[in-house]
Amino acid sequence: MRVGVFVTCMNDTLFPDTARATVRLLERLGMQPVAPPQQTCCGQMHINTGYLREAAPLIQRYVSAFEDCDAVVAPSASCVSTIRHFHERITASGGHPDRSAAVAALAARTYELTEFLVDVVQTTDVGAYYPHRVTYHPTCHSLRHLAVGSRPTRLLQAVDGLTLVDLPAAEECCGFGGTFALKNADVSVAIGADKVRRVLQTEAAVLTAVDNSCLMQISGLMTRQHAGVRVVHLAEILASTKETPL
């Protein structure tokens, strides 16, 4: 299977290890991952702030980069949510119904990483090893827009050596919300502080999630408190083995 890896602009800029881990994991599972160099952004920031016209070229670039792939995998629920819920709609409303079919078809075979592993590869045990106490934060886009449900925790429970502990009030937002954190900084920090307090209650050594944007928000607040809890994207945990530990 030819699998495209949509790195996402945030991971490319700030968290390249997550993209590398995604590629290693897919290769270990027998996939042929490719990361087309012409890929850029899904348009999420533009769409969230009302710049739909400016997002349209990014949508077409996404299609041109990945249209020859059997599936596209992204280690970001928020980006996959944008692709699934907005790409075809924006293309059609922008006066390009002739392109809508290709956009919709690619969106339908674009997956968040845990969706792809559980639903397409049909596995929860990816041969990972990670001997740490871990708690999982279900990000808003993964929880509410994509409804990934228990897929991430089922994958974590199958990791050798990992102790998974429940996060109290797990479904509460971390306060990031993309541009929300910039426009409403005080509210964002207050929400994030509640999330940090819950994380510390677990006494976990590591906090994981499927979106680095949310992990960045929580990590920033925990760093200011010298909390001593690491944040690690779920892809990096799943890519870790006894031979190549994280």
Side-chain angles (χ1 to χ4, degrees):
M1 177 182 288
R2 180 178 171 84
V3 180
V5 177
F6 181 40
V7 174
T8 81
C9 52
M10 172 169 276
N11 285 326
D12 182 51
T13 305
L14 299 175
F15 305 103
D17 284 346
T18 297
R20 296 187 187 104
T22 301
V23 170
R24 289 200 309 273
L25 174 60
L26 294 175
E27 287 176 337
R28 196 169 77 223
L29 295 174
M31 305 292 113
Q32 299 175 7
V34 294
Q38 67 268 38
Q39 64 175 289
T40 53
C41 174
C42 69
Q44 179 180 173
M45 293 181 290
H46 308 69
I47 295 166
N48 286 352
T49 47
Y51 290 94
L52 304 187
R53 184 182 300 173
E54 288 75 8
L58 295 171
I59 296 171
Q60 295 308 314
R61 191 175 184 90
Y62 178 79
V63 174
S64 66
F66 291 106
E67 60 186 344
D68 64 341
C69 294
D70 299 309
V72 182
V73 177
S76 169
S78 64
C79 293
V80 173
S81 173
T82 297
I83 293 163
R84 292 242 192 102
H85 293 289
F86 293 103
H87 275 199
E88 193 276 334
R89 190 187 313 174
I90 290 171
T91 302
S93 64
H96 300 288
D98 55 316
R99 302 177 186 171
S100 294
V103 172
L106 184 56
R109 60 180 192 273
T110 298
Y111 300 89
E112 181 272 326
L113 177 61
T114 67
E115 289 181 315
F116 183 76
L117 295 174
V118 175
D119 298 346
V120 180
V121 182
Q122 297 188 336
T123 186
T124 55
D125 187 347
V126 298
Y129 173 73
Y130 195 75
H132 301 286
R133 182 178 174 90
V134 177
T135 193
Y136 168 73
H137 165 60
T139 65
C140 288
H141 281 94
S142 67
L143 182 69
R144 297 173 175 88
H145 282 195
L146 296 183
V148 301
S150 64
R151 294 176 182 86
T153 53
R154 288 161 61 193
L155 286 158
L156 288 168
Q157 287 166 347
V159 174
D160 186 20
L162 187 148
T163 300
L164 182 63
V165 292
D166 291 336
L167 178 65
E171 296 185 358
E172 291 182 0
C173 177
C174 72
F176 179 66
T179 54
F180 174 86
L182 301 176
K183 296 176 180 178
N184 303 276
D186 290 343
V187 177
S188 173
V189 169
I191 295 172
D194 285 342
K195 178 61 66 173
V196 168
R197 186 162 54 252
R198 305 295 192 190
V199 172
L200 297 182
Q201 287 175 10
T202 68
E203 299 183 350
V206 176
L207 170 69
T208 192
V210 297
D211 281 284
N212 270 324
S213 53
C214 299
L215 289 176
M216 180 176 66
Q217 161 87 349
I218 303 168
S219 175
L221 293 166
M222 289 197 298
T223 298
R224 287 164 175 77
Q225 296 183 27
H226 304 284
V229 179
R230 287 192 298 150
V231 297
V232 181
H233 192 284
L234 190 141
E236 296 174 55
I237 292 177
L238 297 181
S240 178
T241 65
K242 289 183 178 180
E243 292 73 26
T244 56
L246 182 67

